Amino acid sequence: MYRVKVQILPKENVFDPQGHTVKGALEKLGFSGVKEIRLGKLIEILIDAEDESQLMAQTKAMCERLLANPIIESYQVLDVEEVS
């Protein structure tokens, strides 16, 4: 059994309206120097897989088919932990 953490963010060249809104709010609160904010998702998956290669293949398929929109979002596996 594995616990996988996947980060999903808007791609660099895609406008992030949520990030833009948060950046503006931070500026209004007096926080200066913030150049850019991109908001995304952190997804934690507990999955039963035979080994890490099968786990990574399943994780990639899940991200590409449902969890991320590959046209406007990128994903990255941040952490893999074997759990009992």
Side-chain angles (χ1 to χ4, degrees), residues 36-75:
E36 179 184 17
I37 293 184
R38 295 181 328 144
L39 291 181
K41 303 174 264 191
L42 176 65
I43 300 175
E44 188 175 286
I45 305 165
L46 190 61
I47 185 169
D48 196 11
E50 291 180 18
D51 55 35
E52 278 199 44
S53 66
Q54 181 192 37
L55 168 75
M56 295 307 287
Q58 286 186 9
T59 301
K60 180 180 177 184
M62 287 187 275
C63 288
E64 292 178 356
R65 293 180 63 193
L66 178 67
L67 301 177
N69 179 343
I71 296 170
I72 61 169
E73 295 175 316
S74 60
Y75 65 90

Side-chain angles (χ1 to χ4, degrees), residues 53 77-78:
S53 66
V77 174
L78 296 179

